[in-house]
């Protein structure tokens, strides 16, 4: 089959593509504007009045040294799976062993009843303990790091008052409440022998886990179902903690919750598709930045565009075909877009196969090329916007050169994501041209260590150690640390 190019596409499609390119392309000047505004918002979030970005202090008050030891449990309540890990931090510097089990997180639980959620989690933990530790009635309580990756106010490391659900979760009776007692009540009902040492965010876990093996790590990021970052701040730069009178140079990891950036829509170039996604989501007006970047939404942005091109425009794509499958909200996830961007064939035959299998639609060649271009536009926009956050934290902290640890399906699996973020960082921060193409970028984003497993265990270890050393700041239940 002759290889087509967009230049051969019918006129109507070409004008659609041009229009979409205008909507989704973010040039260097706009990137810089977004990133500068981001920096201001990071600062605001740390102030007493607060801002849109929550900038939650986490009571993680040091990086690991690499010499932490001990065995801990880690529980990760992710969007897709529930993961329980036994992590042993070994005598060898920065060493660890991990045993883990994954449990599916039933879809109904995400929008169901709080009690059922906690019961399910307690059951999974119990199952894990009985498998790997034996009779639970004969065990001393095991220290646990609980990765709860939603925005939570932490006046203490063993507390987490859910600010709001994100990533499509919508369980009544949890927002505004401390999730720890709910979780512990379910554990107590089943006699699960656990004491909670730390409630952590996946980004903080990523920062700490990556810092365990790489001393140049300064920022932990997740680009997955949701998106967010954490970094280490000095208490002297956190006005909202001034009342605690901590020495100004005390480190404090901040869970930025940057998904909330620009909820007031001052700088982000939202398209009509972003507006619909927000309006139809369980929390309209929240997570503006996340909804343009995170894996949960990339497929949905694409789907919205496709349906719009079929229904409303001159383009008449998929003429005469039944698009009922395409009409189902959230039926396409970011792996669908990844696969399209990865299609190695000039005639996009894999994309055709994907559309036929998943959606029962057979696009013609110009349509396939339109589809590929739309994926590129969505994926590139997500990467370039992500860079704005990384650049803002780096500038705020004066980091000229550092490593950023990143995790999540979009970072790990979405084609070209890393290179696109790196290119955008270079534009925002005006890096000079490299003399040797193999040279590292001044700020290099690298695949992180396992934040919600190893990171959670390390944070449990660091917290137990600091309590032992007499630093009781941000500890609600000292009895759990003896
Ligand atoms: C949550 C964050 C989390 C991020 C990545 C966001 O939706 O609010 O707490 O770090 O997703 O998982």
């Amino acid at each position: 089959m002759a290889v087509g190019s967009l230049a051969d596409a019918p006129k109507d499609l070409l004008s659609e593509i041009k229009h979409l390119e205008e909507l989704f392309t973010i040039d260097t000047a706009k990137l810089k504007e977004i990133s500068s505004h981001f920096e201001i918002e990071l600062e605001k979030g740390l102030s007493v009045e607060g801002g849109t970005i929550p900038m939650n202090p986490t009571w993680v008050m040091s990086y690991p040294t690499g010499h932490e030891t001990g065995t801990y449990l880690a529980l990760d309540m992710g969007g897709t799976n529930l993961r329980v890990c036994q992590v042993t931090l070994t005598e060898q510097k920065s060493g660890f062993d991990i045993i883990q089990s994954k449990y599916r997180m039933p879809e109904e639980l995400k929008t169901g009843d709080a009690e059922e959620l906690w019961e399910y989690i307690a059951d999974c933990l119990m199952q894990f303990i009985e498998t790997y530790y034996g009779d639970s009635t004969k065990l001393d309580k095991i220290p646990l790091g609980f990765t709860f990756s939603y925005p939570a106010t932490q006046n203490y490391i063993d507390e987490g008052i859910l600010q709001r659900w994100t990533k499509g979760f919508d369980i009544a009776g949890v927002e505004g409440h401390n999730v720890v007692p709910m979780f512990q009540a379910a554990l107590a009902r089943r006699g699960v022998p656990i004491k909670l040492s730390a409630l952590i965010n996946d980004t903080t876990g990523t920062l700490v886990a990556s810092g365990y093996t790489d001393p140049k790590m300064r920022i932990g990021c997740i680009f997955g179902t949701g998106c967010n970052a954490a970094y280490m701040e000095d208490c002297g730069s956190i006005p909202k903690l001034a009342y605690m009178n901590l020495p100004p140079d005390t480190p404090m990891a901040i869970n930025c919750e940057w998904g909330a950036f620009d909820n007031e829509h001052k700088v982000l170039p939202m398209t009509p598709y972003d507006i619909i996604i927000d309006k139809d989501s369980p929390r309209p007006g929240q997570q503006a930045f996340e909804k343009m970047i995170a894996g949960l939404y990339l497929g949905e942005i694409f789907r919205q565009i496709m349906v719009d091109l079929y229904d409303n425009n001159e383009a008449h794509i998929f003429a005469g075909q039944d698009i009922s499958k395409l009409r189902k909200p959230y039926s396409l996830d970011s792996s669908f877009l990844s696969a399209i961007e990865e299609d190695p064939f000039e005639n996009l035959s894999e994309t055709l196969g994907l559309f036929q299998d998943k959606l029962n639609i057979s696009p013609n060649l110009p349509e396939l090329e339109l589809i590929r271009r739309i994926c590129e536009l969505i994926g590139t926009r997500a990467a370039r916007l992500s860079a704005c956050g990384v650049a803002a934290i780096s500038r705020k902290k004066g980091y000229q050169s550092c490593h950023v640890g990143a995790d999540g399906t979009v970072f790990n699996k979405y084609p070209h994501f890393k290179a696109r973020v790196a290119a955008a960082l270079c534009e925002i921060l005006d890096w000079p041209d490299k003399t040797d193409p193999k040279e590292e970028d001044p700020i290099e984003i690298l695949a992180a260590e396992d934040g919600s497993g190893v990171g959670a265990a390390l944070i449990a270890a660091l917290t137990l150690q600091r309590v032992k050393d007499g630093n009781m700041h941000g500890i609600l239940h000292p009895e759990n640390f003896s």
Side-chain angles (χ1 to χ4, degrees):
M1 186 179 190
V3 171
S5 81
L6 282 174
D8 306 325
K11 253 223 182 85
D12 295 346
L13 282 196
L14 275 183
S15 73
E16 288 308 332
I17 289 169
K18 195 158 167 287
H19 177 58
L20 288 165
E21 282 173 344
E22 278 159 15
L23 283 178
F24 280 86
T25 304
I26 306 181
D27 64 15
T28 307
K30 187 69 185 170
L31 284 181
K32 288 186 173 181
E33 183 195 341
I34 296 169
S35 185
S36 303
H37 186 59
F38 215 125
E39 216 182 316
I40 297 170
E41 290 296 315
L42 293 172
E43 206 70 66
K44 251 200 214 161
L46 295 171
S47 70
V48 175
E49 306 75 42
T52 329
I53 308 184
M55 303 297 277
N56 294 326
T58 63
W59 300 99
V60 173
M61 301 177 77
S62 62
Y63 280 110
T65 59
H67 296 292
E68 290 70 18
T69 54
T71 297
Y72 307 87
L73 274 179
L75 165 69
D76 178 15
M77 185 187 143
T80 334
N81 291 312
L82 197 74
R83 189 164 64 113
V84 184
C85 314
Q86 184 202 57
V87 182
T88 303
L89 306 171
T90 56
E91 294 293 331
Q92 187 200 2
K93 182 162 192 282
S94 307
F96 59 85
D97 290 327
I98 183 162
I99 300 173
Q100 57 176 332
S101 291
K102 275 190 183 164
Y103 305 85
R104 197 179 66 87
M105 185 77 161
E107 206 51 44
E108 325 76 78
L109 276 191
K110 297 184 192 169
T111 50
D113 176 73
E115 193 90 340
E116 277 170 28
L117 172 76
W118 302 120
E119 297 293 325
Y120 181 75
I121 296 177
D123 278 343
C124 294
L125 266 170
M126 190 62 146
Q127 202 179 316
F128 184 89
I129 290 175
E130 302 223 298
T131 309
Y132 293 104
Y133 291 74
D135 186 352
S136 62
T137 56
K138 302 211 173 85
L139 294 170
D140 287 339
K141 288 194 170 178
I142 311 161
L144 171 91
F146 177 16
T147 306
F148 180 75
S149 303
Y150 305 88
T153 306
Q154 293 194 277
N155 298 305
Y156 309 94
I157 196 161
D158 45 350
E159 172 191 80
I161 302 167
L162 179 63
Q163 292 163 339
R164 75 198 66 79
W165 287 117
T166 58
K167 298 183 276 206
F169 274 67
D170 188 10
I171 303 171
V174 190
E175 284 171 323
H177 297 279
N178 180 5
V179 298
V180 174
M182 302 185 201
F183 169 59
Q184 275 172 334
L187 297 180
R189 278 195 291 275
R190 279 171 171 56
V192 189
I194 271 173
K195 51 185 179 188
L196 184 120
S197 309
L199 181 118
I200 71 157
N201 187 262
D202 49 3
T203 54
T204 321
T206 298
L207 174 68
V208 169
S210 301
Y212 188 54
T213 51
D214 178 351
K216 276 193 82 181
M217 278 295 164
R218 293 291 175 271
I219 302 174
C221 287
I222 301 288
F223 303 109
T225 308
C227 76
N228 188 15
Y231 73 102
M232 204 59 95
E233 191 51 274
D234 319 305
C235 285
S237 305
I238 314 176
K240 64 184 179 187
L241 281 189
Y243 73 96
M244 299 270 318
N245 289 320
L246 295 163
D249 58 351
T250 309
M252 174 72 73
I254 298 292
N255 162 20
C256 301
E257 288 298 337
W258 78 15
F261 170 64
D262 207 32
N263 281 349
E264 58 280 79
H265 304 150
K266 284 193 185 149
V267 283
L268 288 176
M270 285 180 82
T271 67
Y273 309 106
D274 301 305
I275 294 170
I276 299 175
I277 286 179
D278 181 46
K279 190 167 73 54
D280 293 347
S281 74
R283 296 290 179 280
Q286 303 291 345
Q287 303 297 95
F289 187 59
E290 176 161 275
K291 285 170 177 160
M292 297 169 85
I293 292 177
L296 178 60
Y297 304 101
L298 298 184
E300 184 59 10
I301 299 171
F302 174 80
R303 194 191 67 81
Q304 293 280 353
I305 299 174
M306 289 283 115
V307 172
D308 184 37
L309 288 176
Y310 181 90
D311 282 345
N312 305 331
N313 284 295
E314 313 281 286
H316 298 305
I317 60 165
F318 312 144
Q321 300 194 52
D322 172 10
I323 69 151
S324 51
K325 286 199 164 170
L326 184 64
R327 289 200 187 276
K328 186 164 172 262
Y330 289 90
S331 50
L332 303 177
D333 62 21
S334 60
S335 66
F336 191 78
L337 275 61
S338 299
I340 294 173
E341 281 220 49
E342 247 158 19
D343 186 345
F345 300 112
E346 293 266 359
N347 64 2
L348 299 173
S349 54
E350 287 193 353
T351 305
L352 174 64
L354 278 168
F355 261 72
Q356 288 172 333
D357 294 347
K358 176 98 190 160
L359 299 167
N360 221 2
I361 295 173
S362 297
N364 60 32
L365 187 57
E367 287 167 353
L368 287 170
E369 277 155 358
L370 167 81
I371 287 164
R372 164 83 145 226
R373 183 73 188 120
I374 292 173
C375 291
E376 281 168 10
L377 289 173
I378 296 171
T380 304
R381 185 184 73 159
R384 290 172 72 77
L385 286 176
S386 301
C388 295
V390 175
I393 296 181
S394 305
R395 262 207 309 247
K396 179 187 183 314
K397 294 300 295 172
Y399 296 146
Q400 306 286 338
S401 151
C402 70
H403 288 168
V404 175
D407 209 345
T409 41
V410 172
F411 182 78
N412 292 321
K413 304 257 174 71
Y414 200 99
H416 319 300
F417 186 80
K418 293 171 207 171
R420 287 167 179 167
V421 179
L425 266 182
C426 173
E427 289 170 49
I428 301 169
L429 297 171
D430 290 312
W431 289 333
D433 290 340
K434 288 182 190 173
T435 40
D436 172 359
K438 279 191 256 132
E439 222 174 89
E440 260 205 357
D441 283 334
I443 297 176
E444 186 83 28
I445 309 188
L446 303 168
E449 294 293 342
D450 169 15
S452 46
V454 178
L458 277 164
I459 292 174
L462 291 172
T463 311
L464 282 157
Q465 187 58 46
R466 91 172 155 83
V467 170
K468 226 187 201 169
D469 296 343
N471 177 351
M472 304 301 287
H473 291 300
I475 307 290
L476 181 59
H477 290 293
E479 69 277 11
N480 282 339
F481 292 84
S482 49

